[in-house]
Amino acid sequence: MTSVNVTGQPPSEPPAVPGGAGLTTGVLARRLGVSPMTLRSWDRRYGIGPTARTEGGHRRWTAADVATIEEMCRLTATGVPPADAARAARTVAAGPPSAAEVPAVPTAPVGRSRAAGALPLGDVRQECRGLARAAVRLDAPALEKQLTAAVERYGVVVAWQEVMVPTLHAVGRRWASSEDQYVEVEHLLAWHVSTVLRRSAAPAVPVVPPAAGCVLLACAPGEQHTLPLEALHAALGREGLPVRMLGAAVPVEALDAAVRRLGPVAVVLWAQESARAAPALARHIAGHRWGMKGTRRGPAVLLGGPGWSRSQPAGVLRPAGLAQAVEALRALCTAG
């Protein structure tokens, strides 16, 4: 059966090229960081494909073809629907048209969108669409670029709450409803979120003298979900607040030793699941005291994560989200 591209016309016979000229689909896929299946799908659906053949009949991507597919990747990574991105990419490849033939080139709309794309996103920021498509394609370069751009444009707090979290939740919902499919999508997305957050934690000029104490971040014993703490670590670092990250599943003895050694202004304990929440540990940490008699002090304890909803001990703080946690910790670090 003759394939038909998005223009509705049968494709013309590709020109012959020498055997070594042009790129194979596999080589181009590796260069772009996408799967060969994605490139073949775009060729089949939108007519964005290799336009040359070797003397032996094998299809090859010319330099012009590569420029067109790179533009397609760039547009879809910003949230432009693939069909619109294909039309725009072909327009760019064709060069400037005459004034009477100028087409409407789609651009990514600003604000929020209800388009679901490949994942059940719902009403989210436009950037989530491009991020979701890049994740499903396993397009690592696009993920890195999109996440970095979100942090640079919105800052860590907004990028986390309104771009990263909705996309992570969408992947998680699809994973939960598809009998363990999309595991690789979730792992790749989480890895790049973590990478960008850690890179974003480069400290600004410190606003608190070193002797004032730091903020200590730790997951409750057995808790493996670190991304929310990594977002908090990045946000505090960007503000120049002293912070130490202990990471996942911190044993009770290790956390106790770190508190005694560092004398932190505050300790943040994260629990994603109620089974990991440890009220006795929170009370124990809050009970630490150090310093000279008459000026003894201890750390403020902040509880993060839905795991604490049933077991919040008295005398500790429970911020409602990342923005509130940053605000509370800023106040604690700069008090006095």
Side-chain angles (χ1 to χ4, degrees), residues 16-28:
V17 297
L23 298 177
T24 66
T25 295
V27 169
L28 181 58

Side-chain angles (χ1 to χ4, degrees), residues 114-151:
R114 293 181 181 274
L119 294 171
L121 288 168
D123 183 14
V124 295
R125 281 189 179 271
Q126 179 68 31
E127 288 86 353
C128 295
R129 294 177 59 198
L131 196 60
R133 289 195 178 98
V136 170
R137 293 200 309 263
L138 302 182
D139 188 343
L143 284 176
E144 192 85 1
K145 183 177 180 180
Q146 282 288 98
L147 289 165
T148 301
V151 171

